[in-house]
Amino acid sequence: MAALMVRRAATVAASCAVAVGVMTAPGAGAAPTATEGVTQGCYQRDGYPPGGGRNIGGYPAKYKWDFTPYIGARYYSCGRYVKLYYGGYSTNTTHYNVRWAPPGGSWRQSELRAGADMVWTFDAAYGDYNFSVQACNRGGTFERSRCTNWSPQLYLNTR
């Protein structure tokens, strides 16, 4: 009987050591991966180009035409926000123009900073968004900006 009690005590001690190791493991407080951290009832939805475009992969998928920047988007329901991914150009690019239409609204244009792999995060309204992007080089004092063609139009449902 005493041997059984010792064995149980050893099992309990070993279990506690494993539990403490799991709770204090390196990276335990790290940000969740793409599939982790999605609370029950929450979802993510990716944008897609209804008019076509070449899928260049990524997470979320990104789309482009030849000689245009790429564009991709993901909606996060629990935070009710959108991340718009754009880029592909870094040399001689001073900014990106993003055309976007919010739910029930008309087209707008915003100027975003330049870089090869960029992300624009904003709070989402309930409905449908559309996006397109182009890379631009502002040029000299009296020169107009020179820009690429527009990327494929991307549709994103935020309902």
Side-chain angles (χ1 to χ4, degrees):
M1 190 65 135
L4 183 60
M5 298 285 275
V6 170
R7 223 179 324 185
R8 282 186 183 160
T11 302
V12 169
S15 296
C16 289
V18 169
V20 169
V22 168
M23 292 188 314
T24 60
T33 63
T35 56
E36 295 173 342
V38 178
T39 307
Q40 186 174 2
C42 297
Y43 58 91
Q44 299 171 359
R45 184 171 291 138
D46 293 347
Y48 68 92
R54 188 173 73 247
N55 183 337
I56 62 168
Y59 189 77
K62 296 167 188 72
Y63 302 89
K64 67 181 281 119
W65 300 117
D66 289 341
F67 311 111
T68 70
Y70 66 76
I71 190 166
R74 173 164 286 160
Y75 169 64
Y76 297 85
S77 69
C78 277
R80 294 212 47 82
Y81 64 94
V82 170
K83 284 191 174 193
L84 182 71
Y85 300 84
Y86 63 96
Y89 284 78
S90 57
T91 306
N92 297 325
T93 301
T94 58
H95 63 283
Y96 286 91
N97 290 328
V98 176
R99 279 191 198 156
W100 58 285
S106 58
W107 283 97
R108 302 170 185 186
Q109 186 167 314
S110 298
E111 185 176 301
L112 301 176
R113 42 188 205 112
D117 300 302
M118 305 303 293
V119 180
W120 179 31
T121 304
F122 59 91
D123 293 335
Y126 183 82
D128 302 321
Y129 282 88
N130 287 281
F131 304 96
S132 192
V133 64
Q134 69 180 171
C136 298
N137 181 341
R138 194 167 269 100
T141 307
F142 297 105
E143 277 187 60
R144 293 183 52 186
S145 292
R146 286 175 269 157
C147 300
T148 65
N149 289 328
W150 290 96
S151 70
Q153 182 176 322
L154 200 67
Y155 167 78
L156 180 64
N157 178 309
T158 59
R159 290 183 234 157

